[in-house]
Structure formats: C-alpha cells, structure tokens
Amino acid sequence: MDKLKEKIFETSLSRIWGHFQNHDSAILTAFRHTMINCANEDDSTGENLQTPQNKDRNKQLSASLMKLGYGITKTSGVFIENYNTEAAKQVKEDSYLVVNLKNDPNFVQNIQKLGEHFCQDSVLIVPQGGKGAYLLGTNHSAFPGFGQKHLVGDFKPAIPSDFMSTVDGKRPFHFGEGENYVIETFDRLGNNSKYFVTNISKDILAKIL
C-alpha cells in the first residue's frame, strides 16, 4: 500500500472507530441467494435472486435506512447463507455499515425489521463502544435462529484491506484497500435524491413501522 492510500485507510479507520464509540451501529444487506426460510412465510418461495435483483433490493434498503435518519456507508464481504445446513452457500454481498447518528431508541428494532423484510439470516448489531457485537436472527434459518442472538465479540481494527476482523470466522466485512470512508445521510442529499429516497422507501417503511 502506498503512503497516500495508507493515510486514507488510517483516517477512515479512525472515523469508523469514532462512530462505534459514540453510537450504536449495524451491518446488514438486502442481498439474498434464494428466498427460503423468510420470516414472512408468504415470501419463502425458494426463488433464486440474481445480481440485478439484489442490487435493486439494496437500493431499497439504503433508501429506507437514510429515510429513517441513519448514516450509511458501503462495505463488502462474504456470508454463509443458510449456515450449517444442506442449503449452505457462500455468497458475496454488498452490505451497509449503518450508524445511529441521532441515537434513535428504536434503532435495533428497525434494523431487525429490515432484516426480516429482506429475508436475511441475521443482522449484525454493534452496541455503542464497539463491545459485545452480536448477530440477531431475522429469518427461520438454523443459524442463529429467528430472534436469537449470537455473540461475536468486540470489533477491533484489522490489517489493511480489512477494516474489521472476521466475525465468527464466517462473516468478514471490509473496505477496499485505501477506500475513503464517507457516511451518507438523508440531510446531505440533493432535492432530487431526497425525492427518490422518499419514494423508494415509502412502501417498505409503511410495512415495518
């Protein structure tokens, strides 16, 4: 890594850690390989989702998160979907680090509902201070189980190319080497973007709130 990239990485890591110290945070995605085990039984169709569909789902997720007043930034990683079952599959997914910038008391509940809406096996909750992070089950997969918590420990800075250590050996998330860390919020959007975010999130938020 050259000096400029290293400096950007260190600055970004410092800002991420600062958010962890001051706010609850979470990591989640709308990516899904197949629609099985969904919390809403009507959605458990077994349909295979393709990359364009997953990207559209993530747009809906990001719009909903920003409309709720949270700050978001993209991460990428690998997750074992339907872990420890015959349907287990390693999938690459674009995810969001979500920061509860306004300290909404319903933050965890809203993240959980979004995880259920998008049929995720779990969402990752990082309590303020970065200690005691846990997976919270949001569908009926075997691991961690609907509504169940699975402690994964404390977040710590990792080597360059990973902004966090691997979670439980199964769910690593990382920023690309030298990527600049930018938190996006609804308030910072232009008027056209605010209209788009409001429109795309309206139906989803009506279902979960």
Side-chain angles (χ1 to χ4, degrees):
M1 183 188 301
D2 62 36
K3 293 296 183 181
L4 177 58
K5 286 184 177 181
E6 184 175 359
K7 183 176 181 180
I8 292 173
F9 176 81
E10 290 176 352
T11 301
S12 298
L13 187 58
S14 177
R15 292 174 64 193
I16 293 167
W17 188 245
H19 282 304
F20 281 175
Q21 293 302 298
N22 295 316
H23 307 284
D24 291 333
S25 303
I27 293 177
L28 73 160
T29 182
F31 269 45
R32 183 78 190 167
H33 171 64
T34 184
M35 297 293 286
I36 59 174
N37 296 322
C38 300
N40 182 346
E41 297 291 350
D42 294 337
D43 291 335
S44 298
T45 60
E47 175 190 5
N48 288 325
L49 296 179
Q50 305 302 315
T51 298
Q53 291 171 288
N54 277 320
K55 289 187 178 298
D56 285 343
R57 284 160 58 87
N58 253 10
K59 288 179 182 177
Q60 297 171 25
L61 173 61
S62 63
S64 300
L65 291 167
M66 284 195 285
K67 187 62 179 176
L68 285 166
Y70 307 143
I72 64 172
T73 193
K74 292 180 180 179
T75 70
S76 60
V78 176
F79 180 59
I80 307 300
E81 194 171 284
N82 302 312
Y83 175 70
N84 206 26
T85 72
E86 291 183 359
K89 182 178 179 65
Q90 180 174 293
V91 293
K92 293 182 179 180
E93 55 187 23
D94 297 332
S95 307
Y96 292 99
L97 168 63
V98 189
V99 182
N100 187 15
L101 293 173
K102 298 180 179 179
N103 296 321
D104 174 12
N106 296 317
F107 177 72
V108 173
Q109 179 182 356
N110 289 338
I111 295 297
Q112 180 178 9
K113 287 181 177 179
L114 284 168
E116 292 175 17
H117 179 83
F118 289 105
C119 195
Q120 297 303 298
D121 288 359
S122 62
V123 293
L124 181 62
I125 305 297
V126 188
Q128 181 180 351
K131 305 278 186 184
Y134 60 92
L135 292 172
L136 176 59
T138 50
N139 71 10
H140 297 298
S141 63
F143 177 85
F146 183 70
Q148 299 300 305
K149 295 181 180 180
H150 178 80
L151 186 67
V152 297
D154 305 338
F155 271 129
K156 299 177 182 178
I159 60 173
S161 82
D162 284 14
F163 90 89
M164 295 175 186
S165 57
T166 298
V167 178
D168 200 40
K170 294 182 292 295
R171 195 177 183 117
F173 287 86
H174 64 85
F175 281 61
E177 186 176 288
E179 250 180 74
N180 199 3
Y181 168 66
V182 177
I183 284 283
E184 298 178 88
T185 65
F186 184 80
D187 293 340
R188 294 177 183 174
L189 297 175
N191 289 335
N192 288 341
S193 295
K194 285 181 178 178
Y195 174 81
F196 173 79
V197 164
T198 299
N199 188 57
I200 200 173
S201 65
K202 179 171 59 177
D203 291 342
I204 295 171
L205 296 182
K207 291 178 181 179
I208 72 166
L209 295 182

